[in-house]
């Protein structure tokens, strides 16, 4: 075997490399189609790709009897592709890829999306059902900016305290049960796996430690923030699992490895439906965080017409009734209440028309340096919340 | 085997049995649950039915995801076979500047955690403006598949005597004829083993896929489909069916590859 | 491959293929370039290039609102990594898990690989190896999720059958990862044992060594490249795992978890933390070069 030192081969390789680099640098242009504000809804593009909270766009795969996506597809010809986002942070990341047409955004991601230009203003006059949306959901800080409207409200609700009625006695009425370092349910408590959960701790401290003078759990000064983080670091020792995927915590409650913690109503509904473990939910006396979700249109949407059709569809009374019942939330369009026939007290339970109750829920919002409640310029920004969350989980 | 006694051999046999049981028990549970009448994961199963197998056959999502995975794995394997073989020939038969670093770089995609490869490629694709889809996915998969082909072919090349190729050339064959009629037949079992392993790696890959595949349910690979359906009530048993089915289908190719490679290993001469 | 310098008369007959073949035969450098350009461009430009780009990103910062990346070079992320003890904790914990998983897999794999390679009937060999390889075709996700149902406490399958179970946490992570990567350890060790001549073992026996002495002082040292090759898989797969960890780890965070969580909200920081497993693996690879393990992967 002859050994040759290959100068020419090296130069060929180098040249080839340079050529390839040049080619990749010029790269392919990612054409962003006009996902901007529509003047009129044109013909459906035949497809729609959305990011949604679990339970907002059911297509029969969770429960074959629960499917309001198929009628939409039949009506409009827009074939729907749903990507479930487990947390607002995940949704923000998904939307930043520019690969989706729209999203059901909560307040802790919507503002970021608006600021980052990921979503376009929405022409609400094109959405017929917008007129029937509860007024206290319109033109809020989480779905509008600079006088422009950025989305169509979908529904709202609170984060509940769920507990296994066989195991957790007496029935709790305070968040203190999940923050008790000496909890008898140690190792079987759960919490939401997202930095925004720090607000839940802050909300609890608002009542438990009034000397901290916490008023808005999303506007925290450094000492208030540190106190909330310290509380959560203590909580870590009793946490069995943090949950982000709603079905893993559903399974945990069903098998009994989790018996107590913050969840959404849909999880309680699914666990009760499976009849494996008896659970109940309660809105503790300290109040609750929650979410008010808005359908927003991506600034890079490739199927804006279908997206507008979707938004109108999701806010129609019939679909709102289905979604609200399935998920367990207050519908944004209260005309749906009359259509929820198998539980006529549904809207009362969720206080769908009670704007005072809605304002008492601390909807997810995006903490900024400039305090959201206007109390000053010294609040802890969300990027610090994200870092603190990793420290809390240890 | 004079160097062992009965007791030792029995001990090894028992250990092997235990390890195989350990490996297969969860899989058997999954397979059994795919016939379970109830959709839950509770054990023991409540009844026997072919219902889920029927549903799986008609499940559009699973079918298109399976197609996507087969497509991706095939293309990635072909690319890996070409690049891996070329690289191994270059490394084994030439000395050149950068030979050692190249060897290291070939191993890197499989030695670095998938999340690093995924995040790196994702940022690179986004920076350059390439939209994520089949192409980016195949590129990502081929990248970590190259090394398994490379190592298999390299090991075989090391054991090949160059005499056969020289003889072929002396007899009048040109480079291509020699390659196709002499070299390739000597290599094919290494290519088969490497190719099969590469295919398997790509087929089941989830992490790099998450970061380099496009959005949209029609682009989902089988692992992505499984991930999004794993805990979704009605879909759970269908997921069990798919996993069981894939394993059953892999039985024959894997076993055949082993039988064939075993034979050739002796031929190539050690 | 020796270059053919005197093609016989018959080969001088025309045809593009023959001309090309003669051209290539006479020019080893062109042959090399033809072989090398593809893999080199792919790996160097695409892969290593993107790693370098990621490394560069680790020096950028997230803006305060969390909406964009400020492309100014700075050491903020690295200061954060060093200042806050949690990152050290997570990194060390992950390395410990990776080491534990690797050791467990080596212990589990050696006897079974030895049995298949040396003690089993030749006809059974293909079948046995197939039984080791086929689990690799059962989806990683399905296996991890099956373990979630198995190991939960209370309420998991093991708990209901045997009465006790580790539950979700670090021990579960070690068990499940050891389970998942075991075939990746068995295969290289089996291949290494396959190459180990029986005569060596017989000779050692003839010289008076008992079986275990032979195993310890002859087999294992000769298997070192294969064992190390297997460890590259188990180590690297454990270092970066976040899916199985999330499913059975309870509240455990590992490197993969932190990188994944931050990818969504703080890419520069995720990139910075990702340099930890890269550094660990690169150092590991450089260290094992001498053992010849890299060829056994």
């Amino acid at each position: 075997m002859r050994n040759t030192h290959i100068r020419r081969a090296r130069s060929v390789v180098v040249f080839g490399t340079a050529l390839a680099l040049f080619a990749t640098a010029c790269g392919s242009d990612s054409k962003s189609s006009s996902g901007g504000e529509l003047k009129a809804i044109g013909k459906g593009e035949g497809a729609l790709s959305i990011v949604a909270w679990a339970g907002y766009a059911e297509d029969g795969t969770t429960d074959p009897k629960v499917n309001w996506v198929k009628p939409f597809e039949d009506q409009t010809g827009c074939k729907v592709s749903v990507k479930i986002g487990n947390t607002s942070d995940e949704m923000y990341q998904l939307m930043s890829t520019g690969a989706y047409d729209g999203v059901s955004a909560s307040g802790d991601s919507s503002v970021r999306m608006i600021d980052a230009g990921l979503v376009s203003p929405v022409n609400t006059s094109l959405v017929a059902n917008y007129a029937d949306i509860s007024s206290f959901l319109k033109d809020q800080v989480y779905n509008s900016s600079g006088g422009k409207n950025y989305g169509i409200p979908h529904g709202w609700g609170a984060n509940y305290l769920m507990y296994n009625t066989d195991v957790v006695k007496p029935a709790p009425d305070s968040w203190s049960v999940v923050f008790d370092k000496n909890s008898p349910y140690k190792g079987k408590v759960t919490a939401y796996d997202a930095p925004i959960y720090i607000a839940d701790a802050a909300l609890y401290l608002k009542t438990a430690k009034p000397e901290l003078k916490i008023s808005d759990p999303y506007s925290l000064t450094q000492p208030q923030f540190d106190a909330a983080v310290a509380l959560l670091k203590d909580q870590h020792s009793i946490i069995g699992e943090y949950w982000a995927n709603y079905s893993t915590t559903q399974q945990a409650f069903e098998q009994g490895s989790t018996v107590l913690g913050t969840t959404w109503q849909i999880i309680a509904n699914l666990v009760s439906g499976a009849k494996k473990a008896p659970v109940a939910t309660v809105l503790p006396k300290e109040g609750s965080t929650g979410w008010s979700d808005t359908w927003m249109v991506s600034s890079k949407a490739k199927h804006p017409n279908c997206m507008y059709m979707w938004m109108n569809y999701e806010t129609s009374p019939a679909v709102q009734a289905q979604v609200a019942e399935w998920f367990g939330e207050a519908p944004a369009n209260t005309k749906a209440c009359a259509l929820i026939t198998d539980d006529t007290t549904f809207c009362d339970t969720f206080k769908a028309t009670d704007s005072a109750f809605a304002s008492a829920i601390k909807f997810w919002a995006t903490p900024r340096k400039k305090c959201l409640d206007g109390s000053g310029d010294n609040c802890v920004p969300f990027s610090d919340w994200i870092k603190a969350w990793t420290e809390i989980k240890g | 085997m004079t160097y062992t006694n009965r007791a030792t051999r029995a001990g090894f046999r028992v250990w092997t049995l235990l390890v195989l049981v350990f490996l297969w028990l969860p899989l058997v549970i999954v397979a059994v649950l795919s016939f379970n009448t109830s959709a839950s994961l509770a054990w023991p199963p409540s009844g026997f039915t072919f219902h889920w197998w029927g549903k799986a056959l008609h499940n559009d999502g699973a079918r298109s995801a399976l197609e996507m995975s087969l497509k991706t794995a095939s293309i990635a394997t072909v690319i890996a076979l070409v690049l891996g073989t070329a690289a191994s020939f270059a490394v084994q038969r030439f000395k050149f500047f950068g030979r050692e670093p190249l060897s290291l770089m070939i191993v890197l995609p499989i030695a670095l955690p998938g999340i690093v490869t995924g995040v790196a490629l994702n940022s690179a694709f986004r920076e350059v403006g390439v939209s994520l889809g089949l192409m980016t996915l195949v590129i990502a998969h081929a990248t970590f598949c190259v090394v398994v082909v490379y190592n298999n072919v390299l090991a075989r090349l090391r054991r090949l005597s160059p005499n056969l190729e020289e003889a072929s050339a002396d007899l009048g064959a040109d480079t291509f004829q020699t390659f196709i009629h002499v070299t390739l037949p000597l290599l094919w079992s290494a290519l088969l083993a490497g190719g099969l392993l590469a295919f398997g790696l790509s087929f089941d890959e989830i992490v790099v896929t998450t970061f380099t595949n496009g959005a949209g349910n029609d682009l989902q690979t089988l692992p992505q489909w499984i991930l999004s359906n794993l805990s979704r009530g009605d879909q759970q048993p269908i997921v069990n069916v798919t996993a069981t089915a894939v394993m059953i289908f892999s039985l024959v190719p894997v076993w055949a590859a082993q039988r064939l490679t075993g034979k050739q290993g002796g031929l190539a001469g050690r | 491959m020796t270059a053919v310098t005197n093609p016989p008369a018959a080969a001088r007959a025309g045809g593009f293929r023959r001309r090309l073949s003669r051209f290539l035969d006479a020019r080893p450098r062109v042959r090399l370039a033809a072989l090398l350009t593809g893999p080199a461009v792919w790996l160097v430009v695409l892969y290593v290039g993107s790693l370098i780009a990621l490394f560069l990103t680790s020096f950028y910062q997230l803006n305060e609102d969390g909406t964009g990346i400020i492309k100014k070079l700075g050491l903020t992320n690295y200061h954060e990594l060093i200042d806050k003890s949690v990152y050290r904790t997570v990194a060390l914990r992950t390395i410990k898990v990776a080491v534990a998983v690797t050791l467990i897999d080596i212990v589990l794999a050696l006897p079974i690989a030895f049995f298949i390679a040396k003690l089993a009937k030749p006809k059974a060999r293909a079948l046995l190896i197939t039984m080791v390889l086929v689990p690799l075709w059962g989806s990683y996700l399905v296996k991890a999720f099956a373990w979630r149902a198995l190991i939960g406490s209370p309420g998991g399958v093991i708990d209901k059958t045997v009465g006790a179970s580790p539950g979700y946490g670090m021990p579960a992570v070690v068990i499940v990862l050891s389970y998942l990567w075991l075939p990746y350890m068995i295969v290289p060790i089996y291949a290494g044992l396959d190459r180990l001549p029986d005569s060596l073992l017989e000779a050692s026996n003839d010289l008076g060594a008992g079986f275990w002495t032979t195993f310890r002082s002859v087999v294992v040292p000769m298997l070192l490249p294969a064992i190390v090759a297997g460890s590259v898989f188990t180590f690297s797969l454990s270092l970066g795992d976040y899916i199985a960890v999330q499913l059975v780890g309870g509240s455990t965070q590992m490197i993969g978890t932190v990188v994944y969580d931050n990818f969504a909200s703080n890419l520069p920081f995720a990139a910075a933390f990702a340099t930890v497993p890269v550094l660990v693996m690169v150092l590991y690879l450089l260290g094992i070069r001498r053992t010849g393990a890299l060829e056994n992967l």
Side-chain angles (χ1 to χ4, degrees):
Chain A
M1 211 189 303
R2 230 184 338 175
N3 297 326
T4 23
H5 216 71
I6 319 290
R7 260 183 306 124
R8 221 208 279 171
R10 189 198 336 175
S11 54
V12 169
V13 171
V14 169
F15 176 70
T17 307
L19 196 67
L21 266 171
F22 181 71
T24 49
C26 291
S28 51
D29 220 42
S30 64
K31 285 261 162 283
S32 57
S33 80
S34 56
E37 217 170 329
L38 284 189
K39 296 278 171 7
I41 303 182
K43 220 170 80 108
E45 296 92 349
L48 179 67
S49 190
I50 52 176
V51 178
W53 289 107
Y56 278 21
E58 290 296 311
D59 56 1
T61 44
T62 315
D63 183 335
K65 298 192 284 298
V66 181
N67 188 349
W68 54 84
V69 166
K70 181 113 189 3
F72 172 76
E73 291 178 331
D74 293 340
Q75 270 176 42
T76 61
C78 303
K79 187 125 182 26
V80 183
S81 184
V82 182
K83 175 87 177 138
I84 293 191
N86 290 318
T87 63
S88 293
D89 305 298
E90 217 175 275
M91 292 191 164
Y92 182 79
Q93 190 265 323
L94 289 168
M95 286 304 284
S96 62
T97 63
Y100 299 92
D101 300 309
V103 58
S104 61
S106 302
D108 56 334
S109 67
S110 58
V111 178
R112 280 193 278 165
M113 292 187 198
I114 295 173
D115 286 348
L118 298 179
V119 294
S120 306
V122 166
N123 189 343
T124 54
S125 61
L126 297 178
V127 180
N129 291 307
Y130 186 73
D132 299 325
I133 303 283
S134 304
S135 53
F136 54 84
L137 299 174
K138 294 183 185 172
D139 302 312
Q140 295 296 305
V141 66
Y142 51 79
N143 58 20
S144 55
S145 172
K148 286 188 180 204
N149 216 300
Y150 278 82
I152 311 291
H154 166 96
W156 53 277
N159 293 320
Y160 292 91
L161 175 63
M162 183 157 117
Y163 59 98
N164 184 319
T165 49
D166 275 350
V167 176
V168 179
K169 293 184 163 109
D173 67 343
S174 160
W175 286 112
S176 60
V177 289
V178 297
F179 292 117
D180 174 15
K181 256 203 320 195
N182 305 309
S183 170
Y185 315 107
K186 182 177 165 136
K188 304 203 197 127
V189 182
T190 190
Y192 189 53
D193 193 352
I196 205 71
Y197 187 69
I198 298 176
D200 291 62
L203 185 61
Y204 170 69
L205 288 177
K206 177 176 171 182
T207 315
K209 286 218 176 104
E211 64 272 18
L212 286 169
K213 298 208 182 60
I214 297 174
S215 63
D216 174 18
Y218 304 102
S219 306
L220 299 174
T221 59
Q222 196 64 52
Q224 295 169 335
F225 182 76
D226 291 340
V229 170
L231 181 67
L232 289 170
K233 282 184 177 164
D234 283 345
Q235 187 201 43
H236 177 76
S237 58
I238 64 168
I239 295 285
E241 297 189 289
Y242 292 92
W243 70 271
N245 184 309
Y246 81 104
S247 43
T248 36
T249 200
Q250 175 198 342
Q251 184 232 3
F253 271 97
E254 282 175 11
Q255 76 186 9
S257 54
T258 301
V259 300
L260 182 64
T262 177
T263 63
W264 303 328
Q265 189 60 41
I266 186 173
I267 300 172
N269 294 348
L270 288 170
V271 174
S272 305
K275 296 191 179 29
K276 298 265 188 49
V279 292
T281 55
V282 65
L283 208 56
K285 58 185 189 216
E286 295 93 354
S288 205
T289 55
W291 27 268
S292 176
D293 297 334
T294 314
W295 285 105
M296 298 189 155
V297 183
S298 168
S299 53
K300 293 222 167 73
K302 297 193 182 71
H303 315 104
N305 292 323
C306 278
M307 188 61 203
Y308 270 80
M309 291 186 209
W310 171 260
M311 293 198 290
N312 197 33
Y313 180 77
E314 274 279 287
T315 49
S316 60
V319 181
Q320 281 269 295
Q322 289 181 70
V323 181
E325 252 204 302
W326 173 251
F327 193 90
E329 60 175 4
N333 184 344
T334 46
K335 281 197 172 153
C337 293
L339 297 176
I340 303 178
T341 43
D342 52 351
D343 179 0
T344 46
T345 60
F346 184 87
C347 280
D348 293 330
T349 315
F350 287 94
K351 306 213 192 320
T353 49
D354 189 342
S355 63
F357 176 70
S359 22
I361 298 182
K362 299 296 179 198
F363 290 140
W364 283 341
T366 311
R368 289 171 140 152
K369 196 152 180 297
K370 192 157 164 227
C371 301
L372 291 176
D373 60 358
S375 59
D377 231 345
N378 57 347
C379 285
V380 178
F382 193 59
S383 49
D384 285 354
W385 287 51
I386 298 170
K387 294 204 182 105
W389 189 243
T390 307
E391 281 182 69
I392 289 167
K393 291 205 288 181
Chain B
M1 262 166 293
T2 56
Y3 53 84
T4 52
N5 59 30
R6 263 263 211 66
T8 320
R9 279 203 295 280
F12 274 103
R13 199 171 288 133
V14 168
W15 189 278
T16 302
L17 191 67
L18 288 175
V19 170
L20 286 175
V21 166
F22 177 57
L23 273 179
W24 279 86
L25 198 55
L27 300 171
V28 169
I29 291 180
V30 166
V32 170
L33 284 178
S34 70
F35 295 103
N36 193 6
T37 42
S38 138
S40 82
L41 281 173
W43 188 269
S46 12
F48 188 92
T49 174
F50 281 110
H51 171 66
W52 305 115
W53 282 81
K55 280 199 80 176
L57 274 170
H58 294 112
N59 188 306
D60 287 335
R63 249 215 319 273
S64 83
L66 179 65
E67 260 173 52
M68 184 72 185
S69 277
L70 288 172
K71 219 187 325 184
T72 311
S74 309
I75 305 176
T77 302
V78 168
I79 297 178
L81 283 170
V82 170
L83 292 179
T85 311
S88 61
F89 267 91
V91 166
Q92 206 264 336
R93 294 180 168 188
F94 296 86
K95 250 203 178 129
F96 54 89
F97 169 77
R99 192 171 85 153
E100 264 249 54
L102 181 73
S103 283
L104 207 64
M105 274 193 269
I106 295 179
V107 175
L108 222 50
I110 216 167
L112 293 184
I115 192 169
V116 176
T117 303
V119 170
L121 287 176
N122 175 287
S123 320
F125 287 139
R126 298 225 317 247
E127 245 336 275
V128 162
V130 179
S131 57
L132 300 179
L134 179 65
M135 187 184 79
T136 53
L137 183 62
V138 165
I139 290 175
H141 279 217
T143 309
F144 62 72
C145 286
V146 170
V147 64
V148 284
V149 175
Y150 170 79
N151 271 326
N152 270 287
V153 177
L154 193 62
R156 177 59 51 78
L157 278 178
R158 285 213 173 99
R159 298 206 289 268
L160 277 184
S161 150
N163 295 335
L164 286 161
E165 283 163 328
E166 273 184 45
S168 163
D170 286 342
L171 287 168
D174 61 40
T175 316
F176 302 107
Q177 282 176 322
T178 307
F179 183 72
I180 293 174
H181 298 291
V182 180
T183 322
L184 221 45
L186 290 168
L187 283 181
W188 76 266
S189 72
L191 291 173
L192 180 67
L196 196 60
L197 195 54
F199 192 90
L201 279 176
S202 162
F203 194 77
D204 189 37
E205 213 286 330
I206 180 65
V207 177
V208 175
T209 309
T210 307
F211 290 97
T212 52
N213 195 5
N217 286 348
D218 50 334
L219 281 177
Q220 275 186 331
T221 59
L222 193 61
Q224 284 182 302
W225 178 83
I226 291 177
L227 187 59
S228 61
N229 283 286
L230 248 184
S231 2
R232 303 260 299 275
D234 202 46
Q235 295 291 82
Q236 171 83 59
I238 299 185
V239 171
N240 290 338
V241 167
T242 11
T244 311
V246 169
M247 275 196 297
I248 293 177
F249 279 120
S250 75
L251 274 170
V252 172
V254 171
W255 179 81
Q258 280 311 303
R259 289 292 312 271
L260 296 166
T261 1
K263 284 208 179 98
Q264 247 238 337
L267 253 182
R270 289 194 218 148
Chain C
M1 198 186 289
T2 49
V4 175
T5 44
N6 289 314
R12 265 183 259 133
F16 171 72
R17 206 190 70 210
R18 292 223 158 236
R19 280 206 301 273
L20 183 60
S21 164
R22 261 178 282 147
F23 178 79
L24 286 176
D25 282 342
R27 291 170 181 73
R29 294 174 195 181
V30 175
R31 281 209 305 279
L32 175 64
L35 289 172
L36 210 47
T37 313
V41 165
W42 192 287
L43 286 165
V44 175
V45 172
L46 177 68
Y47 188 65
V48 176
S50 63
L51 285 177
I52 294 174
L54 188 70
F55 185 58
L56 204 67
T57 311
S58 73
F59 294 104
Y60 297 153
Q61 299 90 36
L62 194 68
N63 67 11
E64 222 163 50
D65 282 331
T67 53
I69 297 173
I70 307 173
K71 292 195 174 165
K72 248 180 51 166
L73 296 174
L75 288 172
T76 335
N77 295 321
Y78 289 99
H79 278 146
E80 181 85 16
L81 282 182
I82 298 173
D83 288 340
K84 298 276 166 64
S85 67
V86 67
Y87 303 108
R88 262 198 306 282
T89 313
V90 170
L92 281 171
R93 175 190 303 145
T94 313
I95 293 175
K96 274 192 247 176
V97 167
V99 170
V101 168
T102 304
L103 292 175
I104 291 175
D105 278 348
I106 292 175
V107 167
L108 287 176
L110 271 172
I112 179 173
F114 189 85
F115 179 79
I116 301 178
K118 296 291 174 215
L119 300 177
K121 299 196 200 33
K123 290 216 175 91
R125 225 166 269 168
L127 180 64
L128 285 170
I129 277 292
T130 304
M131 289 190 71
V132 169
L133 285 177
V134 166
L136 284 182
W137 288 79
S139 160
Y140 155 84
L141 291 169
V142 173
K143 287 187 278 191
F145 204 75
W147 271 101
R148 182 182 161 83
L150 283 172
I151 215 168
S153 167
V157 177
I158 297 179
D159 184 55
K160 286 211 267 208
T161 326
V162 175
S165 170
Y168 303 137
M170 275 256 282
V173 173
V174 173
I175 294 173
V176 175
L177 292 184
S178 303
Y179 170 83
L180 289 169
W181 316 140
L182 184 56
Y184 290 117
M185 180 63 85
I186 296 179
V187 171
I189 297 184
Y190 164 77
L193 278 167
D194 201 35
R195 285 195 289 270
L196 193 77
D198 276 9
S199 49
L200 214 60
L201 300 167
E202 310 259 359
S204 168
N205 188 43
D206 290 339
L207 287 169
F211 177 75
W212 295 108
T213 318
T214 307
F215 198 78
R216 232 186 18 243
S217 15
V218 178
V219 176
V220 173
M222 289 202 72
L223 276 183
L224 199 62
I227 295 178
V228 173
S231 74
V232 170
F233 280 115
T234 57
F235 212 78
S236 117
L237 287 166
S238 304
L239 270 187
D241 191 84
Y242 63 94
I243 298 181
V245 175
Q246 193 185 56
L247 285 175
V248 303
S251 59
T252 312
Q253 281 192 121
M254 303 226 304
I255 293 179
T257 324
V258 175
V259 173
Y260 185 75
D261 284 348
N262 278 280
F263 172 78
S265 18
N266 190 347
L267 180 63
F269 188 74
F273 199 46
T275 55
V276 174
V278 172
L279 207 64
V280 171
M281 284 315 297
V282 168
L283 288 175
Y284 194 63
L285 286 177
L286 289 175
I288 64 175
R289 253 180 328 168
R290 296 179 148 267
T291 64
L294 293 178
E295 282 92 46
N296 289 350
L297 278 175

